[in-house]
Amino acid sequence: MAFRSLIRTFEPAARKYFRSTIKTKKVFCFVLFSLIRTFAHRMNTIFIVLPILVLLMFDLGLTLRPADFRLVVERPRAILVGLAGQILLLPLIGLAIGFGFQLEAVFFLGVMLIACSPGGSSSNVFSMLAGGDVALSVSLTMLSSIITLFTGPLVMSYATGLVGENQSITLPVGNLLMQNIVLMLVPIVIGLSVAMWREQLARKMHGVLKKLAFPALILLASIFFIQNRETIVREFPQLGLAMTVLILLAMGGGVALSWIMRLSGREQRTIIIEIGMQNAAQAISIASSPFVFANDVMAIPAIVYALMMNIILLAYVGIIKTTTRQN
C-alpha cells in the first residue's frame, strides 16, 4: 500500500514530464534497445558519451538569454546560495560519502566526479514541475556549468591525491581542464551565439535536441550497464544506498541554506532541485575519457546516481504538487 501511495504521489508529475514526447521516446527506446543488444559489446562508449555531452552543452547555450546573466546582480542572495550548495557543499558531501561508505578508490573518485559536476539541464524542467523559479534554475545551471570547468579539476586533483595514489590512479589536470573547455565551454558559447543572433533557429534546434536528450542518455546508460553488468549488479547495493544518501543530503543542504538565507518558497524548491540534480553525463565523460581517467568502471557511480536522482526528484515533485493541491 505504501508503494502504491508513493506511485500515486509522483505519477502526475511524471506523466506531465513525459506526455509531450512519449511516443517519440517509445520509438527511440525500442530501436535503441534492439541495437544495444546486438552491438553493445563492440561499442566504444567514449564515441557516444562525448558527442552527447557536447550536444547537451550546446543545447544549454541555446536556452540562455542576457537576462540569465543579469540575475546575478538582481538577485545575488539566491544565486550565492545555489552556487555555494553546488560548488562547496556537494564536494564535502561527496568526501563524506566516500569515506563513510568506505568505497574503493575507483568508486570514491566516481562519486567525487558527480559532486564536482554542474547542475543537470533537466533541473530546469523539474523546477518548472515543482512550481519553482525557472529563471533562477537556468541561471544556476549556466553559472555552475562554467564555474565547475575550473573548480572541478582542483577538487578532483585533491581527491585523487587522497585515495588514488595507492591504486595507481592519476589525474592529468591539464588534460581535464582542456577537455572541459573544448567539450563544455565552447559548445555553450556557440549555442549562446546562435541564440543571440538567430533566436528563431535556436528555438527550433532546442525543440529537436530536448527530445533527443532522453533517448541518448538511455542509450549511454544501457551500454554501460551491458558492458559492466556484473560489476554494477555486484556493487549496486552499496552504490545505490550511497547515491541515495548523497542526493538526500544534498537536498537537505539546500533546505538548510535556503532557510538560513530566508529565500522564498519558489526559490527554495529551485535550490533543492539544483543541488540534488547534477550532470551525470559530464561525470561519465571524464571517467571514460582516454585523455583523463580512461576508466569505465569509475563511471558506474554516475550511472547509478542518474537512476536514483530521477526517482527521488520525481517523488519530491509529486509530494510538492500533492501538498500544493491540499493547501
Side-chain angles (χ1 to χ4, degrees):
M1 292 299 292
F3 178 75
R4 290 181 180 177
S5 176
L6 179 61
I7 291 296
R8 283 197 298 270
T9 298
F10 65 81
E11 183 181 22
R15 284 182 180 276
K16 185 175 180 180
Y17 176 60
F18 290 113
R19 187 184 297 128
S20 62
T21 55
I22 191 68
K23 291 183 179 180
T24 303
K25 290 172 181 176
K26 282 183 177 179
V27 172
F28 266 103
C29 288
F30 176 78
V31 174
L32 289 174
F33 279 120
S34 299
L35 292 172
I36 288 168
R37 292 183 64 182
T38 306
F39 300 108
H41 291 291
R42 305 175 189 176
M43 293 181 180
N44 188 332
T45 51
I46 197 62
F47 295 116
I48 299 172
V49 64
L50 296 187
I52 289 175
L53 181 62
V54 170
L55 287 176
L56 289 175
M57 294 302 101
F58 175 68
D59 187 42
L60 173 62
L62 292 175
T63 65
L64 296 179
R65 298 294 182 271
D68 300 324
F69 297 89
R70 289 199 298 269
L71 209 64
V72 177
V73 177
E74 295 171 356
R75 296 163 64 188
R77 188 170 57 177
I79 293 291
L80 178 63
V81 170
L83 292 179
Q86 290 182 300
I87 308 301
L88 301 176
L89 179 63
L90 263 176
L92 293 175
I93 294 175
L95 287 171
I97 293 294
F99 285 120
F101 281 84
Q102 298 181 339
L103 298 178
E104 297 177 30
V106 67
F107 295 136
F108 188 111
L109 294 176
V111 170
M112 291 306 300
L113 282 175
I114 297 166
C116 293
S117 296
S121 56
S122 297
S123 63
N124 309 149
V125 178
F126 277 79
S127 290
M128 179 189 67
L129 293 175
D133 190 324
V134 178
L136 175 61
S137 177
V138 172
S139 296
L140 285 173
T141 300
M142 175 268 297
L143 289 170
S144 66
S145 295
I146 295 174
I147 294 173
T148 54
L149 293 176
F150 307 100
T151 59
L154 295 177
V155 176
M156 287 308 302
S157 177
Y158 174 74
T160 304
L162 277 180
V163 301
E165 292 182 351
N166 293 335
Q167 303 295 324
S168 299
I169 300 175
T170 58
L171 171 64
V173 177
N175 288 1
L176 175 54
L177 182 59
M178 185 59 65
Q179 176 173 300
N180 283 348
I181 292 173
V182 172
L183 297 183
M184 297 188 65
L185 183 59
V186 171
I188 290 175
V189 172
I190 294 174
L192 177 60
S193 301
V194 174
M196 291 179 64
W197 299 105
R198 294 288 187 273
E199 186 173 350
Q200 199 67 23
L201 175 61
R203 289 179 179 176
K204 291 180 180 179
M205 295 175 74
H206 173 62
V208 174
L209 290 176
K210 72 178 183 179
K211 293 180 180 179
L212 294 177
F214 181 80
L217 291 174
I218 288 292
L219 169 65
L220 178 62
S222 300
I223 292 174
F224 263 96
F225 178 79
I226 291 174
Q227 293 182 344
N228 301 279
R229 181 173 52 192
E230 293 183 1
T231 304
I232 293 175
V233 171
R234 184 179 68 248
E235 301 294 339
F236 186 82
Q238 183 185 38
L239 289 179
L241 180 58
M243 294 301 94
T244 299
V245 174
L246 172 67
I247 296 166
L248 293 177
L249 287 177
M251 294 173 69
V255 173
L257 290 173
S258 299
W259 180 79
I260 292 171
M261 298 300 289
R262 299 182 180 179
L263 300 184
S264 68
R266 292 181 67 234
E267 290 173 330
Q268 183 186 75
R269 290 192 289 273
T270 300
I271 296 297
I272 291 170
I273 291 172
E274 283 295 320
I275 301 178
M277 179 170 266
Q278 303 311 111
N279 190 340
Q282 179 178 334
I284 294 170
S285 71
I286 294 174
S288 58
S289 172
F291 307 111
V292 188
F293 285 114
N295 192 329
D296 284 351
V297 175
M298 192 181 293
I300 290 176
I303 297 294
V304 177
Y305 173 85
L307 172 63
M308 304 310 301
M309 172 187 72
N310 282 283
I311 292 174
I312 293 172
L313 267 298
L314 277 173
Y316 171 71
V317 170
I319 291 170
I320 291 296
K321 284 187 166 294
T322 300
T323 304
T324 303
R325 282 197 300 268
Q326 290 176 349
N327 294 337

